Amino acid sequence: MVNFISIDDGRAVGQEVHDPHPHRNQLANPSNPCESIPFSLTPTSPLQSTSVPPSSRSPRLNWSEQIDTGSSIYSHVLLSISKDSTMANTIRLYLTCIRNTLEAAMCLQNFPCQEVERHNKPEVELNTSPELIMNPVLICRNEAEKCLIETSINSIRISMKVKQADELENILAKKFLRFLSMRAEAFQVLRRKPVQGYDISFLITNYHCEEMHKHKLIDFIVQFMEDIDKEISELKLSVNTRGRLVATEFLKQFI
Amino acid sequence: MAAVAVHQFAECITCHAWSPDQSMVAFCPNNSEVHIYKLFGEKWEKMHVLSKHDQIVCGIDWSLKSNKLVTVSHDRNSYVWSQEGTEWVPTLVILRLNRAALCVQWSPKENKFAVGSGAKSICICYYEQENNWWVSKLIRKRHESSVTNVAWHPDNILLATTSTDGKCRVFSTYIKGVDSKESESSSSDLKFGEQIAQLDLSVTWAFGVRWSPSGSILAYAGHNSMIHFIDDVKSNPSAQSIPLRDLPLRDLLFLSDRVVVGVGFDCNPMIFTADDTGLWSFTKFLDQRKAAPSSSRGSQLSEAFGKLYGTSKQVPSNDTVEPSKTRGGAHENCITCIVPLWKRGNTTLCRFSTSGLDGKVVIWELDIPK
């Protein structure tokens, strides 16, 4: 199953191509940007794909597929924007896409472990039964920012890589997210260690969906993503301000 | 044509079943116990707590004629409870499973019940009068993954199962001594554990298999938001697959040969009907909801346009991603179980109850035109 979604001038047209079932053609309403992208995250099916080069002229947003031949099969959604358009718009589209994917992916149910009797483990962490795990979905805003969503029958793992423009932001992000990860019990849905290649990971199980409302969980994740960027910018600002103040004070003695 | 009654019993309900006279309801409040509540006038009172299992009870079925409760749990055990006086007396059923049991259903004649399990096998249990206990026979070979749902055909012999390997299989469960031999069916079909059909329609996990009341149509739901209807499985199967707009279904119920109710992650029962030619289609959602505010989306669109073509100055981002709308409606969380409520004397079913992860049991009533 290949998902090809292109956004023209703020509107989204979603279509599934290369579909083994021709009657499953779901065309999203063009007037509703990213409203209902009924992502059917299927567990198997190797992908055929082409990669669509991003256009650079008009403010168009292209989502393209890329091949991945490794053992993990995932669809790589790339979002690229031209220099003219403003950044504030893409964050919203990126987050809306993540929200819609999570709404489709967070359909979890209680499932006892098939490998060990009397145990109940999150299948996405266990990774032993391939039929219970779905295709991971990777949503990229650009090369630096992406979000990997891996689902299984009773658990979902969301890993994020936040934007780190320079060395200072790198250090700040690492320290801040490590601070949060170490206090993962307080968050309940946070994973103590991020997945390899990402900055922070969430692990949501069916028990969380039973205790808490699903839409509230999704709100939390999306809000978290928004706030992380703001937090790191604020931290960077305060570091720079403080550095400037200290330097000014110190150099006053040499005037 | 909507929710007749809403009862909040617990924080979260795994599964439920009604007594034959519909005055009592048995459910599992997401732990290892089964609670039985009885309706006294307007109020529900907890009558019994059945606590023999060690882990969560995932399947309950109440037989209508013999008034027996069967419960299965993730601890690989099953108990058949019979009411003696005011107490419920359990009888352990040795299922010989080495993984959790996932679902259970009494057969139409209530002399057998089927249990689907995570051991990739099905247990058919029947009562042996000489030894005064329940014996289980296993169908081990065919499944490649956990069996999620089982459904008996009205003839008491065919059993349909769905599994997390995406396939729906139909088996024969003829047991010598328990089932009487039908004269018309061939003897080759009657072997126990014989697979009659394997349906490969769903790419993803399959749930919620049911036979129509006449036994001619089989329906099951796939996790890729599809529902599949198969006509005439034994001889000449013809299938229809309908994609759903929203989230996948967990369980189904045939109200008649032409009306199906599906429940699932949408928290809203869906009605599917077949027209005269036998073509199935989605009809409507059962629950009235507050209309989704489409106007807000329109204003977002114009904001987006403004951003793209208009000024390039830094505006404070007040266009935050809109939070999810809370759904109004009877159920607030996923609906996991749907149970028919037969009215005495009625041949068509128009009442059913649903239970979900929000801890509510909701009774629905629907007028079906003949």
mmCIF file of all heavy atoms in Angstrom, chain B residues 310-351:
data_model
loop_
_atom_site.group_PDB
_atom_site.id
_atom_site.type_symbol
_atom_site.label_atom_id
_atom_site.label_comp_id
_atom_site.label_asym_id
_atom_site.label_seq_id
_atom_site.Cartn_x
_atom_site.Cartn_y
_atom_site.Cartn_z
ATOM 1 N N GLY B 310 -0.112 36.353 1.556
ATOM 2 C CA GLY B 310 -0.200 37.707 2.103
ATOM 3 C C GLY B 310 1.112 38.177 2.662
ATOM 4 O O GLY B 310 2.190 37.958 2.107
ATOM 5 N N THR B 311 1.013 38.824 3.796
ATOM 6 C CA THR B 311 2.187 39.470 4.381
ATOM 7 C C THR B 311 3.180 38.444 4.854
ATOM 8 O O THR B 311 2.831 37.324 5.213
ATOM 9 C CB THR B 311 1.752 40.331 5.566
ATOM 10 O OG1 THR B 311 1.110 39.455 6.503
ATOM 11 C CG2 THR B 311 0.796 41.388 5.132
ATOM 12 N N SER B 312 4.406 38.855 4.867
ATOM 13 C CA SER B 312 5.445 37.948 5.325
ATOM 14 C C SER B 312 5.938 38.323 6.705
ATOM 15 O O SER B 312 6.912 37.805 7.190
ATOM 16 C CB SER B 312 6.613 37.967 4.341
ATOM 17 O OG SER B 312 7.048 39.296 4.195
ATOM 18 N N LYS B 313 5.235 39.254 7.358
ATOM 19 C CA LYS B 313 5.706 39.645 8.692
ATOM 20 C C LYS B 313 5.425 38.519 9.676
ATOM 21 O O LYS B 313 4.585 37.664 9.457
ATOM 22 C CB LYS B 313 5.021 40.946 9.119
ATOM 23 C CG LYS B 313 3.533 40.823 9.379
ATOM 24 C CD LYS B 313 3.007 42.155 9.930
ATOM 25 C CE LYS B 313 1.569 42.048 10.363
ATOM 26 N NZ LYS B 313 0.627 42.025 9.262
ATOM 27 N N GLN B 314 6.158 38.566 10.750
ATOM 28 C CA GLN B 314 6.017 37.510 11.754
ATOM 29 C C GLN B 314 4.754 37.737 12.549
ATOM 30 O O GLN B 314 4.676 38.639 13.343
ATOM 31 C CB GLN B 314 7.220 37.554 12.718
ATOM 32 C CG GLN B 314 8.444 36.864 12.203
ATOM 33 C CD GLN B 314 8.290 35.341 12.216
ATOM 34 O OE1 GLN B 314 7.313 34.831 12.742
ATOM 35 N NE2 GLN B 314 9.239 34.655 11.611
ATOM 36 N N VAL B 315 3.743 36.937 12.301
ATOM 37 C CA VAL B 315 2.543 37.046 13.127
ATOM 38 C C VAL B 315 2.646 36.021 14.256
ATOM 39 O O VAL B 315 3.144 34.933 14.055
ATOM 40 C CB VAL B 315 1.256 36.787 12.308
ATOM 41 C CG1 VAL B 315 0.941 37.983 11.461
ATOM 42 C CG2 VAL B 315 1.424 35.570 11.429
ATOM 43 N N PRO B 316 2.179 36.390 15.429
ATOM 44 C CA PRO B 316 2.205 35.397 16.513
ATOM 45 C C PRO B 316 1.283 34.245 16.145
ATOM 46 O O PRO B 316 0.191 34.445 15.648
ATOM 47 C CB PRO B 316 1.689 36.174 17.731
ATOM 48 C CG PRO B 316 0.942 37.319 17.167
ATOM 49 C CD PRO B 316 1.583 37.673 15.876
ATOM 50 N N SER B 317 1.756 33.062 16.340
ATOM 51 C CA SER B 317 0.988 31.921 15.838
ATOM 52 C C SER B 317 -0.198 31.658 16.734
ATOM 53 O O SER B 317 -0.102 30.977 17.754
ATOM 54 C CB SER B 317 1.882 30.687 15.744
ATOM 55 O OG SER B 317 2.349 30.360 17.036
ATOM 56 N N ASN B 318 -1.312 32.268 16.378
ATOM 57 C CA ASN B 318 -2.542 31.939 17.085
ATOM 58 C C ASN B 318 -3.282 30.835 16.347
ATOM 59 O O ASN B 318 -4.319 30.372 16.780
ATOM 60 C CB ASN B 318 -3.434 33.185 17.200
ATOM 61 C CG ASN B 318 -3.625 33.854 15.843
ATOM 62 O OD1 ASN B 318 -3.056 33.400 14.855
ATOM 63 N ND2 ASN B 318 -4.384 34.914 15.803
ATOM 64 N N ASP B 319 -2.711 30.426 15.223
ATOM 65 C CA ASP B 319 -3.370 29.348 14.483
ATOM 66 C C ASP B 319 -2.801 28.019 14.946
ATOM 67 O O ASP B 319 -2.206 27.269 14.193
ATOM 68 C CB ASP B 319 -3.165 29.536 12.979
ATOM 69 C CG ASP B 319 -1.686 29.686 12.634
ATOM 70 O OD1 ASP B 319 -0.923 30.089 13.535
ATOM 71 O OD2 ASP B 319 -1.310 29.399 11.526
ATOM 72 N N THR B 320 -2.920 27.783 16.234
ATOM 73 C CA THR B 320 -2.440 26.493 16.750
ATOM 74 C C THR B 320 -3.304 25.379 16.197
ATOM 75 O O THR B 320 -4.424 25.601 15.775
ATOM 76 C CB THR B 320 -2.533 26.468 18.281
ATOM 77 O OG1 THR B 320 -3.836 26.877 18.645
ATOM 78 C CG2 THR B 320 -1.522 27.402 18.889
ATOM 79 N N VAL B 321 -2.737 24.205 16.195
ATOM 80 C CA VAL B 321 -3.493 23.050 15.715
ATOM 81 C C VAL B 321 -4.721 22.870 16.591
ATOM 82 O O VAL B 321 -4.618 22.877 17.808
ATOM 83 C CB VAL B 321 -2.606 21.787 15.799
ATOM 84 C CG1 VAL B 321 -3.343 20.595 15.269
ATOM 85 C CG2 VAL B 321 -1.320 22.020 15.049
ATOM 86 N N GLU B 322 -5.862 22.735 15.966
ATOM 87 C CA GLU B 322 -7.082 22.695 16.773
ATOM 88 C C GLU B 322 -7.135 21.393 17.561
ATOM 89 O O GLU B 322 -6.784 20.336 17.046
ATOM 90 C CB GLU B 322 -8.305 22.830 15.875
ATOM 91 C CG GLU B 322 -8.412 21.741 14.823
ATOM 92 C CD GLU B 322 -9.758 21.779 14.132
ATOM 93 O OE1 GLU B 322 -10.215 22.877 13.818
ATOM 94 O OE2 GLU B 322 -10.337 20.718 13.944
ATOM 95 N N PRO B 323 -7.539 21.461 18.805
ATOM 96 C CA PRO B 323 -7.625 20.236 19.607
ATOM 97 C C PRO B 323 -8.772 19.369 19.115
ATOM 98 O O PRO B 323 -9.683 19.839 18.444
ATOM 99 C CB PRO B 323 -7.898 20.755 21.025
ATOM 100 C CG PRO B 323 -8.515 22.082 20.828
ATOM 101 C CD PRO B 323 -7.962 22.650 19.574
ATOM 102 N N SER B 324 -8.686 18.096 19.432
ATOM 103 C CA SER B 324 -9.730 17.183 18.956
ATOM 104 C C SER B 324 -11.054 17.530 19.584
ATOM 105 O O SER B 324 -11.127 17.915 20.738
ATOM 106 C CB SER B 324 -9.394 15.748 19.350
ATOM 107 O OG SER B 324 -8.041 15.595 19.540
ATOM 108 N N LYS B 325 -12.094 17.375 18.819
ATOM 109 C CA LYS B 325 -13.425 17.669 19.354
ATOM 110 C C LYS B 325 -13.846 16.479 20.234
ATOM 111 O O LYS B 325 -13.640 15.349 19.880
ATOM 112 C CB LYS B 325 -14.407 17.812 18.196
ATOM 113 C CG LYS B 325 -13.961 18.842 17.183
ATOM 114 C CD LYS B 325 -14.869 18.808 15.975
ATOM 115 C CE LYS B 325 -14.391 17.819 14.934
ATOM 116 N NZ LYS B 325 -13.101 18.188 14.366
ATOM 117 N N THR B 326 -14.435 16.792 21.350
ATOM 118 C CA THR B 326 -14.986 15.698 22.160
ATOM 119 C C THR B 326 -16.262 15.234 21.474
ATOM 120 O O THR B 326 -17.067 16.031 21.021
ATOM 121 C CB THR B 326 -15.328 16.161 23.570
ATOM 122 O OG1 THR B 326 -16.040 17.389 23.477
ATOM 123 C CG2 THR B 326 -14.065 16.397 24.380
ATOM 124 N N ARG B 327 -16.408 13.905 21.403
ATOM 125 C CA ARG B 327 -17.615 13.428 20.744
ATOM 126 C C ARG B 327 -18.724 13.363 21.748
ATOM 127 O O ARG B 327 -18.564 12.863 22.835
ATOM 128 C CB ARG B 327 -17.365 12.007 20.226
ATOM 129 C CG ARG B 327 -16.083 11.914 19.465
ATOM 130 C CD ARG B 327 -15.487 10.515 19.617
ATOM 131 N NE ARG B 327 -14.156 10.498 19.073
ATOM 132 C CZ ARG B 327 -13.818 9.873 17.948
ATOM 133 N NH1 ARG B 327 -14.698 9.222 17.267
ATOM 134 N NH2 ARG B 327 -12.579 9.907 17.523
ATOM 135 N N GLY B 328 -19.861 13.812 21.386
ATOM 136 C CA GLY B 328 -21.042 13.567 22.229
ATOM 137 C C GLY B 328 -21.491 12.163 21.922
ATOM 138 O O GLY B 328 -21.009 11.549 21.009
ATOM 139 N N GLY B 329 -22.391 11.623 22.661
ATOM 140 C CA GLY B 329 -22.846 10.287 22.307
ATOM 141 C C GLY B 329 -22.779 9.368 23.497
ATOM 142 O O GLY B 329 -22.231 9.694 24.541
ATOM 143 N N ALA B 330 -23.368 8.177 23.321
ATOM 144 C CA ALA B 330 -23.522 7.280 24.456
ATOM 145 C C ALA B 330 -22.178 6.759 24.958
ATOM 146 O O ALA B 330 -21.913 6.776 26.153
ATOM 147 C CB ALA B 330 -24.424 6.125 24.061
ATOM 148 N N HIS B 331 -21.337 6.313 24.052
ATOM 149 C CA HIS B 331 -20.055 5.745 24.476
ATOM 150 C C HIS B 331 -18.950 6.765 24.296
ATOM 151 O O HIS B 331 -18.914 7.491 23.322
ATOM 152 C CB HIS B 331 -19.731 4.502 23.639
ATOM 153 C CG HIS B 331 -20.401 3.250 24.113
ATOM 154 N ND1 HIS B 331 -20.040 2.600 25.261
ATOM 155 C CD2 HIS B 331 -21.412 2.529 23.591
ATOM 156 C CE1 HIS B 331 -20.808 1.529 25.411
ATOM 157 N NE2 HIS B 331 -21.645 1.465 24.415
ATOM 158 N N GLU B 332 -18.028 6.787 25.277
ATOM 159 C CA GLU B 332 -16.921 7.734 25.160
ATOM 160 C C GLU B 332 -15.628 7.065 24.759
ATOM 161 O O GLU B 332 -14.672 7.745 24.441
ATOM 162 C CB GLU B 332 -16.685 8.414 26.515
ATOM 163 C CG GLU B 332 -17.743 9.416 26.849
ATOM 164 C CD GLU B 332 -17.880 9.546 28.345
ATOM 165 O OE1 GLU B 332 -17.021 9.034 29.084
ATOM 166 O OE2 GLU B 332 -18.865 10.160 28.755
ATOM 167 N N ASN B 333 -15.591 5.777 24.835
ATOM 168 C CA ASN B 333 -14.370 5.076 24.488
ATOM 169 C C ASN B 333 -14.768 3.906 23.605
ATOM 170 O O ASN B 333 -15.951 3.651 23.389
ATOM 171 C CB ASN B 333 -13.667 4.616 25.769
ATOM 172 C CG ASN B 333 -12.172 4.530 25.583
ATOM 173 O OD1 ASN B 333 -11.692 4.337 24.474
ATOM 174 N ND2 ASN B 333 -11.425 4.678 26.657
ATOM 175 N N CYS B 334 -13.799 3.182 23.150
ATOM 176 C CA CYS B 334 -14.046 2.116 22.167
ATOM 177 C C CYS B 334 -15.114 1.137 22.651
ATOM 178 O O CYS B 334 -15.122 0.736 23.810
ATOM 179 C CB CYS B 334 -12.721 1.390 21.954
ATOM 180 S SG CYS B 334 -12.841 -0.111 21.028
ATOM 181 N N ILE B 335 -16.005 0.729 21.754
ATOM 182 C CA ILE B 335 -17.013 -0.281 22.067
ATOM 183 C C ILE B 335 -16.398 -1.628 21.726
ATOM 184 O O ILE B 335 -15.946 -1.848 20.594
ATOM 185 C CB ILE B 335 -18.293 -0.084 21.236
ATOM 186 C CG1 ILE B 335 -18.810 1.329 21.389
ATOM 187 C CG2 ILE B 335 -19.351 -1.076 21.667
ATOM 188 C CD1 ILE B 335 -20.028 1.609 20.539
ATOM 189 N N THR B 336 -16.403 -2.556 22.684
ATOM 190 C CA THR B 336 -15.724 -3.818 22.427
ATOM 191 C C THR B 336 -16.655 -4.991 22.226
ATOM 192 O O THR B 336 -16.260 -6.003 21.665
ATOM 193 C CB THR B 336 -14.805 -4.187 23.604
ATOM 194 O OG1 THR B 336 -15.576 -4.092 24.788
ATOM 195 C CG2 THR B 336 -13.630 -3.259 23.689
ATOM 196 N N CYS B 337 -17.890 -4.891 22.699
ATOM 197 C CA CYS B 337 -18.738 -6.079 22.739
ATOM 198 C C CYS B 337 -20.167 -5.706 22.389
ATOM 199 O O CYS B 337 -20.674 -4.690 22.859
ATOM 200 C CB CYS B 337 -18.664 -6.639 24.164
ATOM 201 S SG CYS B 337 -19.536 -8.151 24.388
ATOM 202 N N ILE B 338 -20.806 -6.530 21.574
ATOM 203 C CA ILE B 338 -22.211 -6.287 21.235
ATOM 204 C C ILE B 338 -22.957 -7.598 21.427
ATOM 205 O O ILE B 338 -22.518 -8.656 20.982
ATOM 206 C CB ILE B 338 -22.357 -5.724 19.800
ATOM 207 C CG1 ILE B 338 -23.807 -5.464 19.458
ATOM 208 C CG2 ILE B 338 -21.720 -6.619 18.763
ATOM 209 C CD1 ILE B 338 -23.998 -4.655 18.190
ATOM 210 N N VAL B 339 -24.079 -7.542 22.149
ATOM 211 C CA VAL B 339 -24.810 -8.747 22.530
ATOM 212 C C VAL B 339 -26.266 -8.573 22.117
ATOM 213 O O VAL B 339 -26.851 -7.520 22.368
ATOM 214 C CB VAL B 339 -24.722 -8.959 24.062
ATOM 215 C CG1 VAL B 339 -25.566 -10.129 24.482
ATOM 216 C CG2 VAL B 339 -23.294 -9.169 24.482
ATOM 217 N N PRO B 340 -26.879 -9.603 21.515
ATOM 218 C CA PRO B 340 -28.279 -9.448 21.130
ATOM 219 C C PRO B 340 -29.193 -9.584 22.332
ATOM 220 O O PRO B 340 -28.888 -10.283 23.298
ATOM 221 C CB PRO B 340 -28.504 -10.604 20.156
ATOM 222 C CG PRO B 340 -27.502 -11.621 20.546
ATOM 223 C CD PRO B 340 -26.313 -10.888 21.086
ATOM 224 N N LEU B 341 -30.339 -8.906 22.286
ATOM 225 C CA LEU B 341 -31.367 -9.025 23.321
ATOM 226 C C LEU B 341 -32.648 -9.461 22.624
ATOM 227 O O LEU B 341 -33.352 -8.647 22.038
ATOM 228 C CB LEU B 341 -31.583 -7.674 24.019
ATOM 229 C CG LEU B 341 -30.444 -7.180 24.894
ATOM 230 C CD1 LEU B 341 -30.692 -5.749 25.312
ATOM 231 C CD2 LEU B 341 -30.325 -8.045 26.128
ATOM 232 N N TRP B 342 -32.902 -10.770 22.685
ATOM 233 C CA TRP B 342 -34.082 -11.275 21.992
ATOM 234 C C TRP B 342 -35.322 -10.998 22.801
ATOM 235 O O TRP B 342 -35.375 -11.249 23.993
ATOM 236 C CB TRP B 342 -33.958 -12.797 21.795
ATOM 237 C CG TRP B 342 -32.898 -13.166 20.825
ATOM 238 C CD1 TRP B 342 -31.623 -13.520 21.114
ATOM 239 C CD2 TRP B 342 -33.030 -13.222 19.412
ATOM 240 N NE1 TRP B 342 -30.943 -13.800 19.969
ATOM 241 C CE2 TRP B 342 -31.779 -13.628 18.909
ATOM 242 C CE3 TRP B 342 -34.075 -12.980 18.515
ATOM 243 C CZ2 TRP B 342 -31.553 -13.791 17.547
ATOM 244 C CZ3 TRP B 342 -33.840 -13.149 17.166
ATOM 245 C CH2 TRP B 342 -32.591 -13.545 16.685
ATOM 246 N N LYS B 343 -36.359 -10.532 22.135
ATOM 247 C CA LYS B 343 -37.642 -10.338 22.810
ATOM 248 C C LYS B 343 -38.422 -11.626 22.653
ATOM 249 O O LYS B 343 -38.444 -12.223 21.594
ATOM 250 C CB LYS B 343 -38.408 -9.194 22.132
ATOM 251 C CG LYS B 343 -38.271 -7.886 22.819
ATOM 252 C CD LYS B 343 -39.533 -7.047 22.637
ATOM 253 C CE LYS B 343 -39.338 -5.659 23.196
ATOM 254 N NZ LYS B 343 -38.689 -4.740 22.293
ATOM 255 N N ARG B 344 -39.113 -12.010 23.707
ATOM 256 C CA ARG B 344 -39.846 -13.274 23.668
ATOM 257 C C ARG B 344 -40.886 -13.233 22.571
ATOM 258 O O ARG B 344 -41.686 -12.314 22.488
ATOM 259 C CB ARG B 344 -40.555 -13.479 25.007
ATOM 260 C CG ARG B 344 -40.291 -14.839 25.621
ATOM 261 C CD ARG B 344 -41.114 -14.952 26.869
ATOM 262 N NE ARG B 344 -40.909 -13.802 27.711
ATOM 263 C CZ ARG B 344 -40.199 -13.824 28.838
ATOM 264 N NH1 ARG B 344 -39.651 -14.928 29.222
ATOM 265 N NH2 ARG B 344 -40.061 -12.737 29.554
ATOM 266 N N GLY B 345 -40.855 -14.256 21.752
ATOM 267 C CA GLY B 345 -41.867 -14.330 20.706
ATOM 268 C C GLY B 345 -41.460 -13.659 19.405
ATOM 269 O O GLY B 345 -41.976 -13.986 18.348
ATOM 270 N N ASN B 346 -40.542 -12.734 19.473
ATOM 271 C CA ASN B 346 -40.123 -12.043 18.257
ATOM 272 C C ASN B 346 -39.121 -12.865 17.481
ATOM 273 O O ASN B 346 -38.233 -13.463 18.064
ATOM 274 C CB ASN B 346 -39.449 -10.711 18.626
ATOM 275 C CG ASN B 346 -40.435 -9.579 18.560
ATOM 276 O OD1 ASN B 346 -41.622 -9.791 18.615
ATOM 277 N ND2 ASN B 346 -39.909 -8.382 18.436
ATOM 278 N N THR B 347 -39.282 -12.908 16.205
ATOM 279 C CA THR B 347 -38.280 -13.612 15.400
ATOM 280 C C THR B 347 -37.205 -12.677 14.891
ATOM 281 O O THR B 347 -36.084 -13.094 14.662
ATOM 282 C CB THR B 347 -38.940 -14.300 14.194
ATOM 283 O OG1 THR B 347 -39.792 -13.346 13.573
ATOM 284 C CG2 THR B 347 -39.723 -15.517 14.625
ATOM 285 N N THR B 348 -37.536 -11.419 14.705
ATOM 286 C CA THR B 348 -36.478 -10.492 14.291
ATOM 287 C C THR B 348 -35.933 -9.779 15.510
ATOM 288 O O THR B 348 -36.666 -9.493 16.464
ATOM 289 C CB THR B 348 -37.005 -9.437 13.303
ATOM 290 O OG1 THR B 348 -38.096 -8.772 13.916
ATOM 291 C CG2 THR B 348 -37.440 -10.068 12.018
ATOM 292 N N LEU B 349 -34.663 -9.504 15.458
ATOM 293 C CA LEU B 349 -33.986 -8.882 16.583
ATOM 294 C C LEU B 349 -34.018 -7.381 16.384
ATOM 295 O O LEU B 349 -33.659 -6.877 15.335
ATOM 296 C CB LEU B 349 -32.542 -9.378 16.576
ATOM 297 C CG LEU B 349 -31.651 -8.969 17.722
ATOM 298 C CD1 LEU B 349 -32.198 -9.507 18.993
ATOM 299 C CD2 LEU B 349 -30.274 -9.520 17.471
ATOM 300 N N CYS B 350 -34.479 -6.651 17.387
ATOM 301 C CA CYS B 350 -34.364 -5.199 17.247
ATOM 302 C C CYS B 350 -33.728 -4.531 18.443
ATOM 303 O O CYS B 350 -33.538 -3.322 18.446
ATOM 304 C CB CYS B 350 -35.710 -4.569 16.924
ATOM 305 S SG CYS B 350 -37.009 -5.170 17.954
ATOM 306 N N ARG B 351 -33.392 -5.322 19.474
ATOM 307 C CA ARG B 351 -32.702 -4.735 20.608
ATOM 308 C C ARG B 351 -31.356 -5.413 20.788
ATOM 309 O O ARG B 351 -31.237 -6.625 20.630
ATOM 310 C CB ARG B 351 -33.514 -4.945 21.891
ATOM 311 C CG ARG B 351 -34.521 -3.846 22.175
ATOM 312 C CD ARG B 351 -35.506 -4.316 23.192
ATOM 313 N NE ARG B 351 -34.925 -4.389 24.525
ATOM 314 C CZ ARG B 351 -35.083 -3.463 25.456
ATOM 315 N NH1 ARG B 351 -35.776 -2.377 25.193
ATOM 316 N NH2 ARG B 351 -34.563 -3.621 26.649
#
